[in-house]
Structures are given as C-alpha cells and as structure tokens.
Amino acid sequence: MRFYAIWDANLRTPRSMLLMSYEGLLRSPATGIEHVANFLGVKLSQEQVSKIADVSSAETMRQGERQGKIAQMRVLGSGLNALKVRKAKSGTYKEEMSEEDQLWCEKKMSDFPVVFSDLVKEKGADFIQLENSIA
C-alpha cells in the first residue's frame, strides 16, 4: 500500500513517469528492459538486453539471494516465503491473502484518484510513458 501511495502522490509531480505492469514484465522482460533504457536515454544492444534479462531473472535473483550474493538482501531464511524474490507469478496474492484482506486493499486503492490498472486498460499497454501530470 505504501508503494501505491507514493506512486499516486507522484502523479502530480511535473515530470515524466514510466509505468510498467508486473504482468508485462513477466511476459516480456526484454521489452521491459528496453522501455526502461529508452526512458532513461540509454542505448543498449540486444546482447546487453539479453544479459540484463538473464541476470535479473527471478531464478537468478532467487539463487543469488539464497547464496548471499546480493548485498542489499538480508537473508531471512531459505523457504520461499522468506525470500524477497518469491514465485514471480501474477496473482499469487490471491493464494496468500484472505478475501477480507484483498477487499481491504481494493478499497484502499479505489480511494486514489487514478488507478494504475485502469490506466493500463485505457492505454492498452503494459508499459506507459507519461509526460507531466496526468491527474
């Protein structure tokens, strides 16, 4: 919820934003990497995009976390739920959260003036670059 509140607050900040859906990143990590690079004005070769996609894949990150190779990630245990990089599948919150908690989150998100999922549906894209304020 904290991330969503930060995202919402920044919608009124006069600068560009790149919105990316988790589902889009799962479907096409390379496309997501290319969008980020373009947004930042960085030129990448296809070889670089492939390498970035490989080293940032869920499996590689999960393995690095378990082996203590990622300095910023404190190991909280070896079980899947102890890892920061978990299943890397869309919608798993439905398996992990009670229906009551899901409804609470949906209500909280609906209180924001602009809902990210509505933007994705409206624009028909997983990666959306916004210029200036949209709210």
Side-chain angles (χ1 to χ4, degrees):
M1 298 308 321
R2 183 171 177 260
F3 168 79
Y4 207 85
I6 292 168
W7 174 78
D8 180 69
N10 279 292
L11 285 175
R12 285 161 281 294
T13 302
R15 62 174 185 251
S16 297
M17 291 178 72
L18 177 64
L19 303 178
M20 302 168 47
S21 76
Y22 184 64
E23 293 77 9
L25 289 171
L26 289 175
R27 271 192 295 279
S28 181
T31 300
I33 292 163
E34 289 168 347
H35 277 278
V36 170
N38 289 336
F39 180 74
L40 296 173
V42 176
K43 299 243 186 246
L44 294 175
S45 68
Q46 285 304 307
E47 182 181 333
Q48 290 170 311
V49 169
S50 294
K51 176 72 173 171
I52 293 167
D54 182 52
V55 299
S56 62
S57 72
E59 188 54 43
T60 301
M61 296 289 288
R62 201 178 296 118
Q63 183 180 18
E65 186 178 354
R66 282 188 173 130
Q67 295 172 354
K69 292 181 178 179
I70 304 172
Q72 295 82 1
M73 290 187 168
R74 194 180 96 208
V75 176
L76 301 173
S78 60
L80 187 60
N81 283 332
L83 299 173
K84 291 178 186 64
V85 180
R86 296 174 23 181
K87 295 179 183 176
K89 293 182 180 177
S90 176
T92 58
Y93 72 93
K94 293 175 185 173
E95 301 166 9
E96 309 222 357
M97 294 173 68
S98 69
E99 189 172 332
E100 180 182 353
D101 288 343
Q102 291 176 46
L103 290 171
W104 182 87
C105 289
E106 288 171 14
K107 166 67 176 103
K108 286 292 187 184
M109 288 187 284
S110 71
D111 290 342
F112 293 107
V114 177
V115 178
F116 177 72
S117 60
D118 291 344
L119 277 174
V120 169
K121 288 176 193 167
E122 176 187 316
K123 303 283 186 184
D126 291 319
F127 308 99
I128 305 166
Q129 184 168 336
L130 302 170
E131 300 296 332
N132 299 317
S133 176
I134 63 165

